[in-house]
């Protein structure tokens, strides 16, 4: 058995998530606009929108505070909107206060005036939660009691990544969020390690599951590139973020050198395949079907090993994304 380790939800993890999210949002607007549309229920056309990131920071308690992502979204017909996206690894009792504070400072940095009256226009905001937590509501907020005793509701929607499968990310064109789906392994690994129930064999099996998931992700992203749905820069950003997240999880929990080598080889193999010319539509479909079949067979074999070692059905289903009825069939 492995000893439990300190809670990794510390500033180092936060910094890593912030770094990766900002990198993902350096993708071209064509990849970002569908995500903004999904988060804020808009219908912006990427061809008619200009994106500009705004550096916004303020001092609080003698420390510099900075929102995760603040963007100016300018539409040729609808004008400009300011959007603020905050990414959370876990729930926090202070997130609603922090979002209001950020919103105020963003508004205060861009004051307006109308008929001699100062106007503070708060940005559109959303909180993106990476790791599953049933306690996270669909929206967070607070009630403001104004000087005249009237009330104002300050409400911010939440966007829960775990509610989307990788296939749904692709269908909804939320391509740049695909690498963040790998973080789902962190919480489960932390739970298993903290309980002392993670053996070397199980670590190797979990590593195999990660490899299967990343293999699917990389092949799907490359298919999007081949089909012209994303450009080369977006593809390479997703690949780099995938490698970075897998490196973090591997170093923090698995300490298995072959894992990162496999990821590097997978991406290199994809890049070499792209250089080949003359891909026919039938060939592309056949390759994708072969990859998907291989992934499913690989997951089933890994699930059999985990079940044989006594890992509970719910955990195996969550880790492999295989349905419980299938696991019951292969368990015996």
């Amino acid at each position: 058995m492995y000893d439990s380790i300190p809670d990794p939800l510390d500033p180092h993890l936060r910094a890593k998530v912030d770094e990766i999210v900002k990198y993902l949002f350096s993708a071209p607007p064509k990849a970002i606009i569908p995500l903004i549309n999904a988060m804020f229920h808009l219908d912006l056309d990427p061809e008619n929108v200009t994106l500009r990131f705004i550096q916004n920071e303020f001092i609080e308690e003698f420390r510099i505070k900075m929102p995760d992502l603040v963007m100016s979204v300018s539409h040729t017909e609808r004008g400009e909107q300011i959007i603020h996206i905050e990414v959370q690894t876990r729930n926090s009792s202070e997130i609603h206060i922090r979002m209001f504070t950020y919103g105020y400072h963003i508004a205060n940095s861009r004051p307006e005036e109308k008929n001699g009256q100062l106007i503070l226009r708060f940005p559109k905001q959303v909180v993106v939660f990476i790791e599953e937590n049933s306690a996270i509501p669909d929206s967070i907020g607070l009630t403001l009691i104004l000087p005249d005793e009237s009330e104002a509701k300050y409400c911010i929607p939440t966007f829960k990544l775990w509610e989307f499968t990788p296939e749904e990310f692709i269908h909804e064109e939320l391509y740049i969020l695909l690498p963040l789906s790998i973080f789902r392994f962190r919480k489960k690994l932390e739970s298993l390690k903290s309980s002392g129930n993670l053996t070397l064999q199980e670590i190797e099996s979990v590593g195999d599951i990660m490899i299967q998931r990343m293999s699917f992700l990389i092949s799907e992203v490359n298919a999007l590139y081949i089909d012209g749905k994303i450009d080369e820069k977006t593809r390479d950003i997703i690949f780099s973020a995938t490698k970075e997240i897998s490196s973090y999880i591997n170093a923090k929990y698995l300490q298995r050198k072959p894992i990162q080598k496999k990821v590097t080889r997978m991406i290199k193999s994809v890049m070499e395949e792209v250089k080949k010319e003359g891909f026919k539509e039938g060939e592309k479909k056949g390759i994708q079907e072969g990859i998907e079949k291989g992934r499913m067979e690989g997951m089933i074999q890994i699930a059999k090993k985990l079940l044989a070692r006594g890992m509970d059905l719910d955990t195996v289903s969550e880790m492999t994304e295989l349905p419980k009825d299938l696991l019951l069939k292969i368990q015996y």
Side-chain angles (χ1 to χ4, degrees):
M1 295 290 179
Y2 280 70
D3 295 331
S4 61
I5 60 176
D7 181 5
L9 290 173
D10 54 23
H12 297 293
L13 174 60
R14 175 67 191 174
K16 176 59 66 177
V17 172
D18 288 349
E19 172 189 311
I20 291 170
V21 168
K22 286 181 172 64
Y23 180 64
L24 287 170
F25 272 82
S26 69
K30 185 179 179 181
I32 298 175
I33 295 302
L35 180 56
I36 291 175
N37 285 338
M39 288 180 172
F40 296 99
H41 305 290
L42 302 174
D43 59 349
L44 300 174
D45 179 2
E47 300 299 326
N48 297 315
V49 171
T50 301
L51 279 180
R52 180 171 58 87
F53 286 89
I54 300 172
Q55 189 79 356
N56 194 284
E57 60 184 36
F58 59 93
I59 304 296
E60 185 180 88
E61 297 177 351
F62 306 104
R63 297 168 64 185
I64 296 176
K65 301 284 187 177
M66 186 180 296
D68 286 343
L69 293 163
V70 183
M71 292 174 282
S72 166
V73 181
S74 299
H75 192 276
T76 52
E77 296 178 357
R78 305 177 193 176
E80 182 189 42
Q81 296 183 80
I82 304 300
I83 285 175
H84 168 213
I85 300 174
E86 198 69 16
V87 180
Q88 288 284 111
T89 50
R90 61 175 175 177
N91 201 6
S92 167
S93 60
E94 299 178 354
I95 184 63
H96 54 299
I97 297 294
R98 184 145 50 91
M99 291 300 291
F100 175 76
T101 303
Y102 283 154
Y104 164 74
H105 284 285
I106 293 169
N108 193 41
S109 69
R110 304 167 59 86
E112 303 174 16
E113 188 175 326
K114 185 176 182 180
N115 300 325
Q117 182 76 37
L118 181 66
I119 299 174
L120 295 183
R121 189 181 301 277
F122 279 66
K124 289 183 176 295
Q125 293 177 290
V126 66
V127 183
V128 178
F129 288 96
I130 293 178
E131 294 185 335
E132 184 172 358
N133 185 336
S134 59
I136 294 173
D138 293 332
S139 64
I140 59 174
L142 44 81
T143 300
L144 305 174
I145 306 298
L146 304 180
D148 63 358
E149 296 300 321
S150 63
E151 295 186 1
K153 299 289 185 181
Y154 194 85
C155 188
I156 303 154
T158 60
F159 194 82
K160 308 168 190 175
L161 290 191
W162 68 85
E163 292 184 340
F164 295 82
T165 65
E167 291 81 2
E168 288 171 332
F169 279 130
I170 292 170
H171 181 263
E172 299 296 328
E173 298 183 30
L174 311 180
Y175 310 131
I176 63 172
L177 293 182
L178 278 166
L180 297 180
S181 66
I182 302 171
F183 269 117
R184 68 192 298 276
F185 291 98
R186 191 217 66 83
K187 185 176 181 180
K188 181 54 63 177
L189 284 167
E190 167 62 16
S191 175
L192 290 170
K193 263 197 166 182
S194 295
S195 66
N197 290 330
L198 195 58
T199 66
L200 177 58
Q201 287 181 319
E202 285 165 336
I203 283 178
E204 291 175 345
S205 295
V206 172
D208 287 340
I209 294 173
M210 278 185 57
I211 291 295
Q212 291 280 349
R213 168 50 60 197
M214 286 183 282
S215 175
F216 168 77
L217 189 157
I218 289 168
S219 65
E220 286 294 312
V221 169
N222 190 55
L224 291 169
Y225 168 69
I226 292 172
D227 291 340
K229 295 181 179 179
I230 61 175
D231 59 17
E232 184 176 2
K233 182 178 180 181
T234 301
R235 181 201 64 182
D236 291 349
I237 284 172
I238 294 173
F239 282 175
S240 296
T242 299
K243 285 178 64 177
E244 188 68 18
I245 294 172
S246 66
S247 293
Y248 173 82
I249 294 177
N250 185 34
K252 191 76 177 180
Y253 300 98
L254 303 176
Q255 292 95 39
R256 309 298 294 171
K257 290 182 180 180
I259 289 179
Q260 202 55 37
K261 289 181 179 179
K262 283 184 180 179
V263 176
T264 301
R265 282 200 302 268
M266 280 192 296
I267 294 176
K268 183 179 179 181
S269 174
V270 166
M271 295 300 193
E272 290 174 351
E273 202 65 54
V274 168
K275 292 178 182 177
K276 296 179 182 179
E277 297 180 359
F279 250 149
K280 296 179 181 179
E281 201 62 38
E283 291 175 340
K284 287 191 293 184
K285 182 178 179 182
I287 290 171
Q288 288 303 114
E289 288 177 349
I291 290 172
E292 180 59 26
K293 181 180 178 181
R295 187 178 77 90
M296 176 63 73
E297 291 175 350
M299 283 295 189
I300 289 174
Q301 292 305 313
I302 293 167
K304 286 181 178 179
K305 292 179 183 178
L306 294 176
L307 291 169
R309 292 167 186 160
M311 189 174 285
D312 66 275
L313 200 68
D314 289 337
T315 299
V316 175
S317 177
E318 183 180 348
M319 296 290 283
T320 62
E321 296 183 350
L322 295 175
K324 291 182 184 178
D325 57 348
L326 174 60
L327 294 178
L328 286 170
K329 292 178 182 178
I330 67 175
Q331 189 173 17
Y332 303 104

